[in-house]
Amino acid sequence: NLYTLLSARMLTDACGLPSLNCITNAGGKFLLIIHDTPDCCNALNETKASIEMWTFENFFGELKIIIDDGVPFEYAGFSIKNFQKVMQRSSESLNRCKLRPFSQLLPDSKSFVDNNRFSEFQKFGSCKLCGHEPGQKEKNRAILGNNCFDAIVTGQKVTKNNFVIIKKDSQKILGHYNVEYNDK
């Protein structure tokens, strides 16, 4: 949920729009209203590529944040009778993009070779929790991958703190955000 929230925020920021332009964010999907201008289209493509790269590097293709190019519509598309058609076209566009995850990062089927984590598997084996990522850190005498280790630490912080603080201009999440937990 945090990754979809921050991806939507990153896209609205890149287009110079307020976060209110994210009109829905639920169930792992978000919907943005973005200007159909060359600047916004370029910002959308650059940000989409950045999000794809970050998720691929950090989750080895197992987490996918699919962002389509959207569907253009006129002001009349906001009317009650027309908005359902806009939403249907938007859903179809997203479904087409789901068939080609990481399309900007891996433009054709011959592009994929996962050399990045092979050497890491040789050092410590696979994560004892998920078995999908290379083991990196030790927790209770078990070698865990970075993502599983972070999930455990985050789960402990969420239960012990009352507030989640999202900071921009950090490098940890999506290359732009950091999350801190605080009880004050």
Side-chain angles (χ1 to χ4, degrees):
N1 217 13
L2 180 65
Y3 295 140
T4 57
L5 172 82
L6 293 178
S7 295
R9 180 63 188 262
M10 193 170 161
L11 287 161
T12 54
D13 285 351
C15 293
L17 299 168
S19 60
L20 292 173
N21 279 51
C22 179
I23 60 173
T24 64
N25 186 353
K29 294 183 182 181
F30 58 85
L31 182 65
L32 306 177
I33 301 290
I34 295 178
H35 303 289
D36 188 15
T37 64
D39 287 344
C40 283
C41 289
N42 288 337
L44 175 68
N45 285 329
E46 289 173 13
T47 306
K48 183 164 86 168
S50 176
I51 291 169
E52 278 187 10
M53 178 65 77
W54 185 85
T55 56
F56 189 80
E57 287 176 351
N58 287 276
F59 297 97
F60 315 109
E62 293 182 15
L63 171 72
K64 300 167 189 74
I65 299 176
I66 309 294
I67 302 168
D68 72 337
D69 294 331
V71 294
F73 63 95
E74 302 284 327
Y75 181 75
F78 283 112
S79 72
I80 292 174
K81 71 177 187 173
N82 292 331
F83 198 66
Q84 184 176 2
K85 293 175 189 172
V86 171
M87 293 298 293
Q88 179 64 38
R89 287 182 21 234
S90 177
S91 179
E92 290 167 359
S93 176
L94 181 60
N95 287 335
R96 280 190 302 275
C97 286
K98 285 180 182 178
L99 298 173
R100 295 195 63 230
F102 302 108
S103 61
Q104 291 190 312
L105 182 62
L106 307 169
D108 61 54
S109 61
K110 297 175 186 158
S111 298
F112 180 75
V113 177
D114 188 4
N115 291 325
N116 294 336
R117 60 183 176 158
F118 181 74
S119 63
E120 297 298 322
F121 277 117
Q122 298 303 313
K123 289 181 190 173
F124 303 110
S126 62
C127 171
K128 299 304 178 207
L129 197 59
C130 73
H132 292 267
E133 63 178 322
Q136 299 282 328
K137 298 179 180 178
E138 188 173 340
K139 177 95 172 157
N140 299 332
R141 294 187 301 247
I143 301 294
L144 302 178
N146 286 332
N147 293 323
C148 289
F149 184 83
D150 287 348
I152 291 169
V153 171
T154 298
Q156 292 169 341
K157 289 178 182 178
V158 166
T159 59
K160 294 177 183 172
N161 294 285
N162 294 319
F163 300 98
V164 177
I165 303 161
I166 298 172
K167 293 186 175 184
K168 191 175 174 185
D169 299 326
S170 178
Q171 300 298 308
K172 185 164 169 113
I173 300 174
L174 298 172
H176 292 277
Y177 302 98
N178 192 19
V179 176
E180 294 178 8
Y181 304 89
N182 197 317
D183 63 346
K184 298 178 183 174

